[in-house]
Amino acid sequence: MEGAGLAEQRKPRRTTVADVARLAGVSAMTVSNVLNAPHRVSDPTVRTVRAAIEELGYAPNHAARALSSGRSQVIGLPLYLDDDAFSDQNPGLGGFLHGLLGGLVKSAAISGYGVHVTTPTEGATEIALYEKLIAARQVDAIVVLETMPQDARIEFLSQRPFPFVAFGRTGPQQRQCWVDVDNETSMAGIAHHLDATGRTKAAYLATDSALPWVHQRQDGFCREFASPVAVESFGSLEQVSAYVEEALGRRDQPDVFVADNDAYAVVAMRALQRLGVKVGQDIAVTGFNDFPFAGMLDTPLTTARIPLRDIASCLFDRALGEINGDPDEPGRLVTAPLVVRSSA
């Protein structure tokens, strides 16, 4: 019995909210707000409290909180990926989703939440998956990716008293619970940089798609670039390569190829290099996204870096606000900062 008592004394004490509050120099209520409603707390305080949580290794009691609140302490991330989603035409998609998911999981874990990643079964729709998640009470909120104008998914969720947050903008008459890349401002930054470096003949390589970001990026660049812009849209990497090679034979040959994604930019660079063009010196090339390979090329790529971890953190904070029934707020735009490398 004496040995058992000693063993009990040596058992490490569980870290509490009070411990976190003491280390961070704030109240226990502030720690609770950071965990459950971080949008109510100033950004510096959120950073201080989260640093204390990580230092102490504090883990909220998930089971107790779920029982007391009636919540699952899980947010849902449905992914609807067709068979071509990870084809050669989408070489950066895997890295994009990995970065977004990693940031979302980390942000959720700090507040004692999990992320349930799922996909519709063959023949089912994403909306049918939403219905299943809601009916089974498997998640407290749903994250919707890549919204479209008049998006049926947003219409479905807006008609139900169920929390959701969108990566991509919602309609003006819908809840503004969204986070999106400020594509116009980010691409305008590329235009200003090229103007400053003396480029005057831009060929813009656009994705042939109805996705809103395609047109937002194009509008941002064409509006801010000082000279007229030649715009072409492409549905495949092969089309991009053929266009770049053909453009070099023109009298008004471009002095910069501006791609709305890194994959098109890399294809343009390879086409130029095959023809003996010194990328970054003779002709510049820029991209958008800053996928992991962008800085590892023989001529590193100038691009705009989408801050996926920041976006994921904003998405989770907005999801918590929806779960807690907070008043609607304007959506949030996140700028993709310019990363200048040798290609431009």
Side-chain angles (χ1 to χ4, degrees):
M1 293 296 292
E2 183 178 350
L6 290 173
E8 189 67 27
Q9 291 175 17
R10 296 192 192 102
K11 185 178 180 180
R13 183 177 66 86
R14 182 185 178 90
T15 302
T16 66
V17 167
D19 297 326
V20 175
R22 191 160 38 250
L23 179 60
V26 299
S27 68
M29 179 59 71
T30 297
V31 175
S32 178
N33 280 333
V34 169
L35 291 171
N36 300 293
H39 55 285
R40 297 177 181 171
V41 186
S42 68
D43 288 343
T45 300
V46 169
R47 289 193 293 269
T48 298
V49 172
R50 286 179 173 173
I53 287 171
E54 290 197 19
E55 180 176 338
L56 294 174
Y58 171 71
N61 191 327
H62 177 92
R65 290 173 62 184
L67 285 172
S68 63
S69 66
R71 297 174 180 172
S72 67
Q73 299 294 118
V74 175
I75 61 172
L77 180 63
L79 298 177
Y80 186 71
L81 301 174
D82 59 33
D83 292 339
D84 297 326
F86 292 94
S87 72
D88 292 340
Q89 304 305 324
N90 299 280
L93 182 59
F96 181 88
L97 290 176
H98 181 270
L100 182 67
L101 178 58
L104 197 60
V105 168
K106 183 174 181 180
S107 297
I110 290 174
S111 293
Y113 264 77
V115 178
H116 177 48
V117 181
T118 184
T119 189
T121 56
E122 186 175 355
T125 65
E126 192 169 334
I127 289 178
L129 180 56
Y130 294 174
E131 290 178 320
K132 179 180 177 182
L133 291 173
I134 294 171
R137 299 184 180 274
Q138 291 179 278
V139 298
D140 296 332
I142 290 174
V143 180
V144 184
L145 300 183
E146 287 197 322
T147 58
M148 297 283 289
Q150 290 82 51
D151 196 307
R153 299 170 300 170
I154 301 300
E155 289 290 344
F156 171 84
L157 290 170
S158 296
Q159 294 170 7
R160 288 155 178 77
F162 192 81
F164 72 92
V165 63
F167 184 16
R169 303 167 209 189
T170 60
Q173 304 305 317
Q174 297 166 332
R175 286 187 63 81
Q176 299 301 295
C177 48
W178 57 263
V179 179
D180 198 14
V181 178
D182 191 345
N183 291 293
E184 296 97 326
T185 299
S186 303
M187 194 57 99
I190 292 177
H192 296 156
H193 171 71
L194 294 174
D195 283 334
T197 54
R199 305 292 174 176
T200 59
K201 297 178 181 178
Y204 188 90
L205 313 178
T207 303
D208 186 7
S209 171
L211 287 169
W213 62 261
V214 172
H215 307 288
Q216 292 161 4
R217 292 178 191 179
Q218 180 179 322
D219 291 346
F221 184 83
C222 293
R223 184 179 64 246
E224 296 298 323
F225 192 63
S227 305
V229 181
V231 178
E232 293 289 340
S233 297
F234 307 94
S236 72
L237 301 181
E238 291 76 16
Q239 291 174 354
V240 174
S241 182
Y243 171 79
V244 171
E245 293 180 7
E246 184 270 334
L248 290 189
R250 297 177 184 172
R251 181 177 299 177
D252 59 343
Q253 173 178 299
D255 61 8
V256 58
F257 288 95
V258 179
D260 70 6
N261 66 84
D262 286 349
Y264 282 9
V266 171
V267 170
M269 290 172 64
R270 288 176 175 170
L272 293 171
Q273 290 164 346
R274 283 197 302 271
L275 297 171
V277 175
K278 294 181 179 178
V279 176
Q281 299 179 37
D282 302 334
I283 297 177
V285 177
T286 66
F288 201 108
N289 285 326
D290 198 30
F291 288 141
F293 58 73
M296 304 176 187
L297 304 169
D298 292 339
T299 303
L301 179 63
T302 292
T303 186
R305 175 180 295 155
I306 295 181
L308 292 173
R309 294 299 175 94
D310 292 344
I311 289 171
S313 178
C314 290
L315 282 170
F316 181 73
D317 288 350
R318 291 303 296 262
L320 273 185
E322 291 296 304
I323 292 168
N324 293 328
D326 293 337
D328 200 19
E329 296 180 358
R332 179 167 179 179
L333 289 173
V334 180
T335 302
L338 177 65
V339 181
V340 178
R341 300 191 180 102
S342 304
S343 74

